[in-house]
Structures are given as C-alpha cells and as structure tokens.
Amino acid sequence: MSFSCKNDLSNDANKKSLVEEMDTIERRSRAAENLLIKLQDLSKKGFAIGHQDATSYGLNWRHLDSPDSIKSDVAKVSGKFPAVYGFDIGHIELGRTHNLDSVPFDVMRQLMIDAYKKGGIITVSWHADNLTSKGNSWDKTPTVSDLINDGKLQQTYTLWVKRVADFLKSVQVDNEPIPVIFRPFHEMNGSWFWWGEGNCSVEDYKVLWQGTVDLLRETHGLNNLLYAYSPNKLNPNDDYMKYYPGDDYVDVFGIDIYDFKNSEDYIHSVVHDLAIVKKVAQEKQKPYAFTETGLETLSTPNWFTEVLYPNIENTGVSWILFWRNARVDHHYMPYEGHPISEDFRAFEALPKTLFLEDLTN
C-alpha cells in the first residue's frame, strides 16, 4: 500500500503500453535523463570525487562568513574542486531556515546552483527528525508505521514531504529545477536511524520509500530527481536487496562503508560489498556509486593512494562521496597543512580520479 492510488489502466494492450511510455518520459526531466547518462559515461573513465558540504564550510571557514567567494578544503589542498557535491536537507521538514548542521537553506540553494552551473553533480541526503518522538534521526523510537497506511501522523508527514518538494523545486537554473540525486532513508540495514533495522519492518520501510517517491513525483510533479538506494556496509548475513523498494523507485545503487581505523577490515568490505553492488546494478542496468565513505581525521598514512584507490580503481563506480569537514576531530578530507595532503595530491593525479574540471573538459 502506498500514499497515493494509481489510476487504473485500460485493458487495451496498446493503450497500456502508450500510457506506460508516457509515464516513463514524464517521470524524469531531460536534465535528469542527461544526468543518468552522465553517470554511466563517468564510470567508463573513472570515478568522480565528491565531498559532503564541500563549499558550505571547512576547517576554520564558513561560506556564510565570506559569501562572495566559493571555497573548498579539497580545492585548497589539490587545486581542484570536487566533482560531486553532497548536501543534507535535514530540518527542512520542520520549516526551519537552517539545516541540522546550521547551513542556511538559502545558502545551500545558492551553492547547489553554483556547483551545477560549473558542471558539478548534486546529491542530497535527508536526516529527517523522528516525527513520533520529536527526536532526531538517531532517535530509534518506532515511527514509520505512524507515517504510512493512514497512520496517525501520515498527514503531518505528507506536509514534511511537501516542504522537501518545495525546496528541491526552488533550486533552479533558467526557471527549471536542476537534476538532483536524492538519497533518503540511507543505511537502513543499520540500527541507528528510526527507519533502520529493528526500528521498522522491511515492508513498512518499502511502503515509506514508495509513498515518499509517489508524493514527490505525482503530487508535487518533481521529475528532476534520481533516487539512490544505499545500505550500509554489509554484515556476513546481510542481503543487499532486503529493503529494495523496486525498480520503479530506484535509479542508482550505492553503499556506505567507512574505515574505522581498521584498514584490513575496510578493504575487505569495499572489495566484497562493491562487487555485490556492481552485480546488482549491472543486472538492473542502472549506475552505481560509493555513496559515503572516509576515514575520520585521516590518521592512516597514504590512505588515499594505498588503501582506497587500489581497491576502487576497477570497480566501475560512478562517484565516491567523502563525508564532511566539520572540525579537527571530525573531518574526512584533508585541509591546508594536513599531514596527508601530499598523499591526496598524489591521489588527485591518478588516472581514474575525476574532479570538477575533469567533468567539463
């Protein structure tokens, strides 16, 4: 059961085929279709380098404090801007002016447009609050059943999705919403989010995903979004497709794997899990990516060139997204003066790492 009912199709096979074809065309804007093609083409050349909140803030700077210039820790260290820009719209659902990391949504919109105009790829996650408990995404109070199937909070959740839609519609170039890779309800096979393992049933998770997409597509008319499915690192008995909401609701496959200062374990997971993602994506004929990764504080010497690159070089991922640079004790990309900066510059020079200028040349 979803949030909205589909119109019944005629039994006439030709009419049904035509309706389905029209539905497919309308489901994605031309810009979204072009982005899908771009992701496929990228994977044949290498993988685009992404960074969460790349131009919003970094170590000892915030875009808000100097809005006339676009900065990036990646660019300061390597001389090149990232090719993929991650943003999070957590708290848009509450009608707030700033996201959960204190980035104003007006600034976020500006940075998304700037990156897109320069040829960058935009990916958006959504750390939504827990509507039942009023806690944050990490509050594991069961809530999904309240949001679906005429649950007591479904009407309020529908308003939350409207606020998401209104914001994503507002990120425009030439009066058209820019294409965005939207990655909601990620890492669902982990237990740390309210939509995660043990906090809702598999079936309810799928209904939540499908209903959210239906609202965005059908109620709000957003056809500029590509939807990314990204479980967390797989445990030995995990099924990558356990929470999969269906081919009509997913455009891109991904996975999130972090190095928790155990490079041997990290390498094993990267090799093993990306092979599974690749197999599924190729069978479904959809692009796939390394949707989140990193080593907090980058304390392992030569991590980029010796731990990461050799193990993703030939995986065929379209992009890799490193998490954010918030503080000295919480960062995933080097900043000016960082001990690993030279290794990152060597990483940038390797043949398959693609930065912004590599996408536009």
Side-chain angles (χ1 to χ4, degrees), residues 199-256:
N199 305 322
C200 70
S201 72
V202 173
E203 185 56 37
D204 281 358
Y205 177 89
K206 292 178 182 179
V207 172
L208 176 68
W209 181 294
Q210 292 166 355
T212 302
V213 173
D214 284 344
L215 283 171
L216 292 170
R217 277 183 186 156
E218 298 172 15
T219 303
H220 301 293
L222 268 73
N223 63 356
N224 59 310
L225 305 182
L226 301 181
Y227 296 90
Y229 171 79
S230 61
N232 192 60
K233 165 187 172 181
L234 301 176
N235 293 314
N237 296 320
D238 282 357
D239 174 7
Y240 176 75
M241 298 293 279
K242 179 177 179 180
Y243 289 88
Y244 186 60
D247 291 351
D248 289 342
Y249 293 91
V250 171
D251 301 291
V252 180
F253 288 97
I255 196 160
D256 298 0

Side-chain angles (χ1 to χ4, degrees), residues 15 45 160 164 170 246 256 334 344 358:
K15 184 175 180 181
K45 303 171 186 176
W160 279 19
V164 169
S170 76
D256 298 0
F344 187 73
D358 301 312

Side-chain angles (χ1 to χ4, degrees), residues 19-88:
V19 170
E20 288 177 342
E21 182 180 351
M22 290 175 64
D23 183 58
T24 300
I25 293 170
E26 293 171 355
R27 184 173 295 167
R28 297 193 196 101
S29 65
R30 183 176 297 274
E33 288 285 0
N34 289 340
L35 175 55
L36 204 58
I37 294 167
K38 183 176 185 175
L39 295 176
Q40 296 281 26
D41 289 344
L42 276 177
S43 66
K44 300 169 186 174
K45 303 171 186 176
F47 45 88
I49 301 302
H51 190 201
Q52 184 74 9
D53 289 325
T55 50
S56 302
Y57 53 81
L59 269 292
N60 302 314
W61 65 270
R62 296 187 307 160
H63 177 79
L64 194 61
D65 295 332
S66 52
D68 296 329
S69 63
I70 302 296
K71 298 179 181 178
S72 158
D73 284 340
V74 171
K76 288 182 179 184
V77 171
S78 70
K80 292 183 177 181
F81 279 86
V84 178
Y85 295 77
F87 297 91
D88 195 280

Side-chain angles (χ1 to χ4, degrees), residues 297-318:
T297 72
L298 296 167
S299 56
T300 301
N302 301 324
W303 186 81
F304 287 100
T305 58
E306 295 181 6
V307 175
L308 180 65
Y309 187 86
N311 295 293
I312 62 170
E313 179 181 8
N314 297 312
T315 58
V317 294
S318 295

